[in-house]
Amino acid sequence: MPEDDEDQSPPSDLRSQPPCSPNKSRNCISSSSSQTFPDHVLENVLENVLQFLDSRCDRNAASLVCKLWWKVEGLTRSEVFIGNCYALSPARLTQRFKRVRSLLLKGKPRFADFNLMPPDWGANFAPWVSTMAKAYPWLEKVDLKRMFVTDDDLALLAESFPGFKELVLVCCEGFGTSGIAVVANKCRKLKVLDLIESEVTDDEVDWVSCFPEDVTCLESLAFDCVEAPINFKALEGLVGRSPSLRKLRLNRFVSLEELRRLLLLGAPQLTSLGTGSFSRGDQSDEQGPPDYAAAFRACKSVVCLSGFRELMPEYLPAILPVCANLTSLNFSYANISPDMFKPIIHSCHKLQIFWALDSICDEGLQAVAATCKELRELRIFPFDPREDSEGPVSELGLQAISEGCRKLESLLYFCQRMTNAALIAMSHNCPELTVFRLCIMGRHRPDHVTGKAMDEGFGAIVKNCKKLTRLAVSGLLTDQAFRYMGEYGKLIRTLSVAFAGDSDMALRHVLEGCPRLQKLEIRDSPFGDVALRSGMHRYYNMRFVWMSACSLSMGCCKDVARAMPNLVVEVIGSDDDDENREFVDTLYMYRSLDGPRKDAPQFVTIL
Amino acid sequence: MEGCPISRETCPKLLDLIPQERKWYHDKEKNNSDQEKKLELRLAPPGGDEEDLSAMKKKKNLETRNNIKKEAEDKPIFNLSGNHFSPSNKTTYAPPHISHKRTAPGPVVGWPPVRSFRKNLASSSSSKLGNDQINKSGEGEKQVEPKREGMFVKINMDSVPIGRKVDLNAYSTYEQLSLAVDKLFRGLLAAQRDTSGGEGEEQPIIGLLNGKGEFTLTYEDNEGDKMLVGDVPWQMFVSSVKRLRVIKSSEISSALKCKLLCSYGNMFYSHN
């Protein structure tokens, strides 16, 4: 079965040659002298047909039909998705796909976000951009996630692709405002510049002024993660000469007053707005407090609202005019109390995506449940992310949400206490759930009412939410919870486990059970060699496996590496890596078509 | 900012003094059902089991990461279970350590799994509910940590019954703080030691940060843990300190002192 998220053939076919030989295919006429003519016609026909295929899944399937289809599909694929940048080399990409216009590339595993991986591990964009610079001068779009991108990479990108249109950097690092400035300046056709949750160093470069002087093509500009002041006057000018601008996400160095001025300039076209700091500077009010609500009234098209990085709560009601239209609201940087929150949410009937801090409390969640009947995605982040902090949200909030928001599809919920009953209720009330991520912040915490493990709650989720594809578990969990996962988690693709399970059996249940498992990330759980060996039949079919602070021995990891030559087995250790060390610190393994990478740093041992 | 102490050969690893720590975990694995009840959440001495066994040598790319506090903090050295002290953990990364013990509290790397830019909300005073807003002009001001009016914390010294208060905002380096402590307590300490009415000579209080003096400076952070002063960047320290305590260096075991001395050169971080 072809992978639906890799553009390469499935692991059974790890050769660089395409699958079928021409002799076997009915479509290819072989060993006849006139074969070139029909082939060309067929190729043209195929090309014209295949170019309409957009879905990755369909394209992967089409490429397996025969050699000709493989070739033509490779010629016509314009958008390439690579889920793990080390699964193949840039050269392989350019050899197979000749006319790529858009690349989506992912690098580090997700646990790197939480400092479980040393910096300088890799995922460098450099080899990709330099290879593509020669192969795809027509490249228009680059979307990177968790990659290490330098200013030089950005400069090369800006210079090599004259028609470049979209740059999206999510959770990336390694570059600064000088790299952004080059992109702004040289990419004259730039439509999208989205910096999302990335670390951008402040090189004290006025990148906003670097955009060309004349009318721009900008449709989306998001820089809310940039921790550097900007030239507001230049930004005002830019917004003024960007008639196509629909999405604007400001950073916290833009004050409320400046936001107001920007909105008066370009509000009616904006569909997505990041409000910046949402606080005022030290200006005195000469004519009384400014009418921020008027500025928001002008935002007739805004459906997505975020920002509030340094919220001054007394000004929050200014957003009321847009609430009725909102489908997406992100309050996750705003410490808003339930009393401040309720009047706002009361107007947000159309809300589908809602992110917030737990400062809104169970009370706030009840208000959400009462109003937001269309809610699809909910994320509640902890204001005080410590194990023993006050927990303003609990099973009560979750229960309310499950009863009020029946269409819920995606949940991320941080809390200090939870009950199995609430999870069971949610499993029945919200059958559309595809993503369920619950983080009970105290490790190994049981159901705080019954004192039992959280097995039954998570068991109900996997059993009743038949569409579940992503699961993250927490709290006190025994092997039983994993038995449920293995038995019922038929569609689970991504599983995150931390401080859970009793024995190897737990991991075995999962590895022997969940047939669609692609991404497995485990930390601090008592799983050892037996469990690791039990999954050997699976690892080629997975994108990656991460296990840190478990009970894996070096010997077993070496065995796995030996048995599976196309699997790259990385052991990430500490400096004083002792040969006598009993357990491996971190195991990160993934399949690769081109063997182990050459840029591994010292602390990575590839077995 | 360098991580590990270099002269590991000369200083005995404190871990060597703790016999076969890991054996605990194996036993636990065998007796799972019995342990189940025992492993319910309870108040227990800080286990320190999740402590990383060694700090990574890192390149200096941490200036932009000064939001990350929890992961970089050291384990308390006054651990009742007598666990080791791991120096110079200023880095954001620490290699994972197996933790099967279920009752061990204490900060763990990367837990809860919240990204670093979401972590400083609680300490940033500009996110207080509706009051004390820190006003920032839009341009020209780049502040990562909010300014505070006067940050007075209590400071006590062993063998001195009376405590003082010190304004941490008045200083920007550990050296300055150390000098201030000397000024605050020198007289009091001399008075305390003057038992028989003889001339009380005022001795300067030195060596507070490097383990060489008679006293060592420690603090209690916002999680209630007792920490050694000097490991984290100044601003990070200021944002997490709740009170200070000057303790007798002899209270720390000799092995720790050795580690302190070895790592002094690496450990001292001055925030500019």
Side-chain angles (χ1 to χ4, degrees):
Chain A
M1 184 163 76
E3 285 309 316
D4 57 6
D5 61 331
E6 288 278 343
D7 59 83
Q8 298 299 323
S9 314
S12 57
D13 177 38
L14 288 173
R15 317 179 292 275
S16 55
Q17 294 301 312
C20 300
S21 73
N23 292 333
K24 294 199 176 137
S25 159
R26 267 170 273 142
N27 286 321
C28 305
I29 301 161
S30 63
S31 62
S32 97
S33 53
S34 60
Q35 62 180 309
T36 45
F37 178 67
D39 266 356
H40 275 176
V41 168
L42 195 56
E43 222 176 275
N44 281 335
V45 169
L46 264 180
E47 233 180 276
N48 282 313
V49 169
L50 286 183
Q51 72 183 0
F52 291 106
L53 268 185
D54 287 331
S55 138
R56 225 159 55 212
C57 189
D58 293 341
R59 281 192 161 270
N60 289 343
S63 69
L64 291 179
V65 170
C66 70
K67 188 173 178 178
L68 183 64
W69 280 56
W70 191 89
K71 179 180 166 203
V72 176
E73 195 282 313
L75 286 175
T76 56
R77 191 182 297 216
S78 64
E79 190 177 307
V80 172
F81 169 85
I82 298 176
N84 176 4
C85 64
Y86 287 122
L88 65 148
S89 66
R92 185 177 288 266
L93 168 71
T94 53
Q95 268 160 31
R96 177 166 170 188
F97 299 111
K98 299 295 184 191
R99 297 193 201 143
V100 174
R101 274 185 277 129
S102 159
L103 176 72
L104 207 160
L105 186 59
K106 295 191 182 180
K108 297 186 219 179
R110 199 179 67 97
F111 273 4
D113 287 352
F114 314 123
N115 304 319
L116 291 182
M117 180 173 254
D120 308 331
W121 171 81
N124 299 303
F125 183 48
W128 294 91
V129 66
S130 59
T131 307
M132 289 195 298
K134 301 184 203 102
Y136 308 137
W138 45 76
L139 193 71
E140 290 177 359
K141 175 175 171 184
V142 166
D143 187 330
L144 304 178
K145 188 165 185 181
R146 292 199 190 92
M147 296 287 298
F148 191 84
V149 184
T150 64
D151 291 330
D152 288 337
D153 298 336
L154 291 176
L156 184 59
L157 183 143
E159 278 165 23
S160 312
F161 309 118
F164 197 75
K165 293 192 183 141
E166 289 187 41
L167 181 64
V168 178
L169 300 176
V170 180
C171 302
C172 295
E173 57 175 353
F175 63 100
T177 45
S178 40
I180 302 301
V182 179
V183 172
N185 186 253
K186 299 241 170 96
C187 301
R188 300 267 149 166
K189 305 255 179 77
L190 197 66
K191 284 195 195 171
V192 173
L193 179 59
D194 281 353
L195 308 171
I196 298 169
E197 294 187 8
S198 294
E199 254 187 70
V200 184
T201 56
D202 180 11
D203 305 325
E204 292 177 16
V205 168
D206 181 4
W207 58 275
V208 182
S209 301
C210 293
F211 280 95
E213 296 273 320
D214 37 341
V215 171
T216 77
C217 317
L218 269 183
E219 294 174 13
S220 172
L221 179 63
F223 60 96
D224 38 356
C225 60
V226 176
E227 286 292 305
I230 49 133
N231 179 340
F232 178 71
K233 209 152 171 253
L235 181 64
E236 236 180 334
L238 180 66
V239 171
R241 62 182 193 279
S242 302
S244 312
L245 196 65
R246 299 286 172 271
K247 302 184 185 184
L248 181 63
R249 284 165 57 167
L250 309 166
N251 70 4
R252 64 181 182 89
F253 292 90
V254 179
S255 70
L256 200 49
E257 179 52 38
E258 288 165 342
L259 171 67
R260 191 182 72 85
R261 280 161 57 181
L262 283 175
L263 289 180
L264 291 177
L265 263 183
Q269 302 101 278
L270 287 180
T271 58
S272 170
L273 176 65
T275 60
S277 68
F278 216 84
S279 74
R280 297 195 58 212
D282 278 321
Q283 297 123 13
S284 55
D285 299 329
E286 296 129 359
Q287 301 130 333
D291 188 2
Y292 296 121
F296 279 93
R297 265 194 291 278
C299 297
K300 301 212 185 294
S301 315
V302 165
V303 293
C304 172
L305 195 61
S306 61
F308 309 102
R309 295 266 166 158
E310 282 152 10
L311 173 73
M312 281 186 175
E314 58 267 36
Y315 294 112
L316 193 56
I319 71 168
L320 279 169
V322 301
C323 287
N325 293 331
L326 286 183
T327 55
S328 169
L329 177 59
N330 182 347
F331 272 158
S332 64
Y333 288 96
N335 183 10
I336 307 177
S337 70
D339 290 331
M340 272 184 249
F341 174 65
K342 288 199 286 195
I344 307 287
I345 200 70
H346 193 62
S347 316
C348 300
H349 299 276
K350 290 193 188 164
L351 210 58
Q352 294 183 20
I353 298 173
F354 181 55
W355 294 20
L357 288 178
D358 58 6
S359 58
I360 61 171
C361 301
D362 285 330
E363 209 183 319
L365 288 172
Q366 283 157 354
V368 172
T371 314
C372 307
K373 299 299 175 190
E374 297 298 314
L375 199 68
R376 302 284 194 275
E377 176 177 324
L378 176 68
R379 295 197 194 192
I380 301 296
F381 295 95
F383 172 66
D384 188 6
R386 294 180 293 137
E387 282 191 79
D388 48 359
S389 59
E390 275 280 317
V393 298
S394 70
E395 75 277 5
L396 296 173
L398 196 72
Q399 180 92 23
I401 293 288
S402 77
E403 285 163 10
C405 308
R406 298 297 176 108
K407 299 187 185 176
L408 197 66
E409 293 172 4
S410 172
L411 180 75
L412 171 63
Y413 198 82
F414 283 85
C415 58
Q416 290 288 4
R417 46 191 201 289
M418 188 47 60
T419 62
N420 283 304
L423 296 192
I424 294 169
M426 181 157 256
S427 75
H428 289 301
N429 292 337
C430 303
E432 302 298 315
L433 275 176
T434 54
V435 174
F436 188 81
R437 300 157 68 189
L438 178 68
C439 181
I440 304 171
M441 289 192 277
R443 286 168 284 154
H444 309 122
R445 216 166 264 180
D447 178 324
H448 82 97
V449 167
T450 66
K452 293 194 180 148
M454 295 300 297
D455 297 341
E456 295 307 311
F458 281 105
I461 292 287
V462 290
K463 193 168 167 188
N464 300 325
C465 301
K466 310 245 191 284
K467 299 185 183 178
L468 198 71
T469 56
R470 182 169 178 184
L471 180 65
V473 298
S474 60
L476 182 65
L477 292 170
T478 71
D479 288 354
Q480 178 61 32
F482 294 86
R483 189 173 288 129
Y484 287 138
M485 283 180 233
E487 192 177 334
Y488 297 109
K490 295 299 171 206
L491 295 181
I492 293 180
R493 290 187 56 229
T494 307
L495 181 63
S496 302
V497 176
F499 305 101
D502 294 326
S503 72
D504 283 344
M505 274 316 294
L507 183 54
R508 282 186 65 181
H509 287 310
V510 167
L511 287 173
E512 289 166 5
C514 308
R516 297 277 174 100
L517 193 63
Q518 285 294 300
K519 299 184 257 184
L520 182 59
E521 38 187 41
I522 301 175
R523 64 166 294 184
D524 293 90
S525 299
F527 307 144
D529 297 348
V530 172
L532 190 68
R533 284 188 220 276
S534 72
M536 281 182 33
H537 63 290
R538 308 242 9 206
Y539 299 136
Y540 276 156
N541 281 319
M542 293 174 67
R543 189 182 295 176
F544 71 80
V545 174
W546 167 290
M547 289 179 67
S548 61
C550 297
S551 314
L552 300 173
S553 72
M554 186 65 93
C556 178
C557 296
K558 286 186 179 157
D559 290 344
V560 172
R562 216 174 292 128
M564 306 184 75
N566 285 312
L567 199 68
V568 176
V569 179
E570 289 193 16
V571 168
I572 303 165
S574 48
D575 273 347
D576 57 348
D577 229 345
D578 210 348
E579 275 309 311
N580 302 330
R581 191 159 244 207
E582 229 171 328
F583 298 128
V584 154
D585 278 335
T586 300
L587 170 74
Y588 179 53
M589 57 191 198
Y590 48 90
R591 63 186 171 197
S592 171
L593 292 172
D594 289 309
R597 57 190 177 115
K598 313 264 187 319
D599 62 355
Q602 237 190 352
F603 49 79
V604 171
T605 314
I606 298 184
L607 301 177
Chain B
M1 186 52 231
E2 290 294 49
C4 278
I6 295 158
S7 50
R8 213 172 279 118
E9 297 73 43
T10 54
C11 299
K13 249 186 156 159
L14 187 58
L15 273 184
D16 298 333
L17 306 174
I18 301 172
Q20 301 303 313
E21 205 175 71
R22 288 185 203 258
K23 284 211 175 125
W24 289 4
Y25 308 132
H26 295 168
D27 290 338
K28 281 229 177 332
E29 277 171 30
K30 284 172 201 155
N31 304 322
N32 277 330
S33 48
D34 306 322
Q35 300 293 343
E36 207 60 45
K37 290 253 163 72
K38 288 187 201 167
L39 296 175
E40 277 178 25
L41 198 67
R42 61 171 200 260
L43 291 176
D49 303 300
E50 290 74 47
E51 176 64 329
D52 43 290
L53 299 176
S54 61
M56 292 279 299
K57 286 199 181 72
K58 283 291 152 291
K59 287 192 194 145
K60 289 185 214 184
N61 66 344
L62 304 176
E63 281 72 18
T64 54
R65 290 185 186 240
N66 49 9
N67 291 333
I68 299 163
K69 301 193 299 293
K70 305 294 181 289
E71 294 87 300
E73 277 176 347
D74 280 349
K75 283 316 247 188
I77 57 174
F78 301 103
N79 230 306
L80 291 179
S81 52
N83 271 332
H84 60 279
F85 161 70
S86 132
S88 52
N89 199 13
K90 255 170 280 324
T91 64
T92 56
Y93 166 72
H97 183 123
I98 297 143
S99 66
H100 302 312
K101 262 196 108 164
R102 297 191 175 210
T103 55
V108 175
V109 177
W111 188 264
V114 175
R115 295 200 68 212
S116 51
F117 53 79
R118 289 195 186 279
K119 283 211 170 203
N120 61 344
L121 295 172
S123 60
S124 164
S125 60
S126 63
S127 56
K128 274 198 194 122
L129 285 167
N131 51 9
D132 293 338
Q133 291 295 333
I134 301 295
N135 292 319
K136 295 189 181 151
S137 54
E139 299 152 37
E141 224 181 76
K142 181 173 73 105
Q143 284 179 0
V144 181
E145 298 283 345
K147 286 202 204 110
R148 291 170 205 236
E149 298 293 345
M151 205 204 150
F152 286 91
V153 295
K154 285 188 198 167
I155 175 165
N156 286 84
M157 185 163 186
D158 275 1
S159 75
V160 176
I162 290 286
R164 302 294 303 264
K165 271 208 157 173
V166 61
D167 177 13
L168 290 177
N169 276 348
Y171 314 106
S172 54
T173 67
Y174 287 117
E175 263 163 334
Q176 288 174 3
L177 176 62
S178 175
L179 289 171
V181 171
D182 173 45
K183 253 192 281 182
L184 285 172
F185 281 104
R186 198 197 285 201
L188 288 172
L189 187 64
Q192 201 59 26
R193 288 175 164 178
D194 181 21
T195 46
S196 55
E199 276 180 28
E201 254 184 358
E202 283 194 3
Q203 301 282 351
I205 303 170
I206 49 161
L208 284 167
L209 299 167
N210 59 7
K212 284 185 180 147
E214 194 192 347
F215 293 95
T216 298
L217 188 57
T218 69
Y219 70 102
E220 188 180 307
D221 71 1
N222 51 8
E223 293 180 336
D225 296 323
K226 295 193 174 59
M227 316 290 290
L228 202 70
V229 162
D231 286 343
V232 298
W234 174 259
Q235 276 302 336
M236 201 187 285
F237 162 71
V238 169
S239 66
S240 63
V241 64
K242 284 287 164 276
R243 58 190 302 164
L244 292 161
R245 187 165 191 89
V246 184
I247 60 164
K248 285 225 172 64
S249 299
S250 55
E251 274 191 30
I252 315 171
S253 78
S254 55
L256 284 176
K257 267 181 89 177
C258 187
K259 266 221 141 118
L260 266 176
L261 288 169
C262 295
S263 61
Y264 172 61
N266 298 329
M267 195 169 80
F268 199 79
Y269 185 104
S270 59
H271 179 78
N272 286 320

